[in-house]
């Protein structure tokens, strides 16, 4: 795979580093730590965890390589959704399992991608559902950077809890 | 450049997207917004701004393509430094200017890199100063993802101020 698709290989390797980094921020946090608010009425730890799941889950659809696993989470954790009390959400342990599942799904998606696809319109572009990111490459870059953006926010909760990342 | 160095071209394009995203988090914040604390005694807005400068500034040294511009900031904002009152730091306007300067420097560094260098030891590895990231590629990926991590933390301050990113 790597010899034939050096660009995808690069993105795939970076995806693994991103996932490890995100996990380094998720793993130290307790159920109580996840309840903390970061921006009042706008962001809590558990909302960010669910948002990470939702935002990695649709990657396979954008690449045209498989369905969303957890469509029921979109309303709860999708872009623009408002944080609710933790009781309204699936348990942290369940959301962590979902996170691992979408990451495993996406690691396989990277193995199925070819360099020649990178400048192609992404699969939802073809259906006119979303034309902001335009190409598969545009989706890959923005999706990976987006997850690091939210990892940093969980990192604040790790720091507040007096714990360390990793 | 792009035809001969497709991998560097990819990283360079991603660097530009990262910088735009970070700027989208920096630009809406006022001097007062930057004074806010995120993790008590560990992280404030202005500390993050200075930390972004320090962490992009040494990129040119790791690549073997030029000196640090602001070595005097390392003690104030380097990894492991503790946030001080805003009065102890250069003004936000000055730090923003420094941030723009290191980004401009690094955009030129990407133009000087070749794909054949990516798996080479980074320039400080050769001096045994830092052997964790090993290759130039390892530094590029971790440096870019690291900046997004802190952008997300500034994004919390943007959200708290009732403002929008970009």
């Amino acid at each position: 795979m790597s010899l034939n698709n050096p660009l995808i290989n690069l993105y795939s390797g970076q995806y693994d580093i991103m996932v490890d980094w995100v996990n380094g921020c998720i793993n130290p946090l307790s159920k109580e730590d996840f309840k903390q608010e970061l921006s009042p009425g706008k962001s809590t730890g558990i909302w960010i965890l669910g948002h990470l799941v939702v935002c990695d889950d649709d990657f396979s659809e954008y690449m045209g390589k498989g369905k969303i696993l957890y469509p029921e989470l979109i309303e709860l954790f999708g872009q623009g959704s408002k944080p609710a009390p933790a009781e309204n959400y699936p348990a942290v342990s369940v959301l962590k399992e979902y996170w691992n599942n979408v990451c495993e799904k996406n690691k396989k998606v990277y193995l199925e991608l070819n360099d020649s696809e990178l400048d192609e319109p992404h699969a939802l572009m073809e259906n006119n559902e979303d034309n902001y990111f335009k190409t598969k490459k545009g989706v890959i870059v923005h999706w990976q950077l987006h997850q690091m953006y939210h990892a940093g926010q969980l990192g604040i909760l790790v720091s507040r809890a007096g714990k360390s990342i990793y």
Side-chain angles (χ1 to χ4, degrees), chain A:
Chain A
M1 191 270 299
S2 67
L3 292 175
N4 293 329
N5 293 293
L7 300 174
I8 289 296
N9 191 43
L10 184 154
Y11 282 131
S12 174
Q14 182 174 271
Y15 182 78
D16 293 345
I17 292 169
M18 178 278 283
V19 169
D20 285 347
W21 207 325
V22 171
N23 285 334
C25 300
I26 288 174
N27 292 336
L29 294 173
S30 70
K31 198 174 146 187
E32 289 306 307
D33 294 332
F34 274 108
K35 288 183 182 171
Q36 280 214 30
E37 203 167 47
L38 280 159
S39 175
K42 292 178 188 159
S43 185
T44 59
I46 193 165
W47 181 86
I48 293 170
L49 178 59
H51 186 61
L52 286 166
V53 176
V54 165
C55 293
D56 242 63
D57 197 5
D58 64 11
F59 180 72
S60 55
E61 285 207 332
Y62 276 86
M63 295 301 115
K65 313 277 187 205
K67 284 285 175 199
I68 290 176
L69 296 177
Y70 309 110
E72 70 277 14
L73 298 188
I74 297 173
E75 191 177 345
L76 295 172
F77 300 113
Q79 198 66 39
S81 60
K82 299 280 180 221
E87 294 70 37
N88 298 24
Y89 290 141
V92 164
S93 58
V94 171
L95 290 174
K96 284 185 183 179
E97 188 190 326
Y98 290 177
W99 166 248
N100 290 331
N101 291 345
V102 296
C103 293
E104 288 311 306
K105 179 179 66 161
N106 288 342
K107 287 179 184 187
K108 290 177 195 152
V109 169
Y110 278 104
L111 295 176
E112 292 173 27
L113 284 164
N114 290 298
D115 281 7
S116 60
E117 293 174 69
L118 283 169
D119 290 324
E120 289 177 1
H122 62 67
L124 301 186
M125 179 89 175
E126 287 165 358
N127 301 327
N128 291 316
E129 286 183 42
D130 186 339
N131 61 15
Y132 180 75
F133 301 104
K134 296 186 170 61
T135 61
K136 291 187 177 180
K137 179 177 165 183
V139 170
I140 291 170
V141 173
H142 285 87
W143 263 235
Q144 291 195 15
L145 296 184
H146 173 269
Q147 302 299 65
M148 284 306 303
Y149 179 91
H150 288 292
Q153 298 175 342
L154 291 181
I156 292 288
L157 298 183
V158 175
S159 170
R160 279 193 201 162
K163 298 172 182 173
S164 293
I165 293 164
Y166 289 104

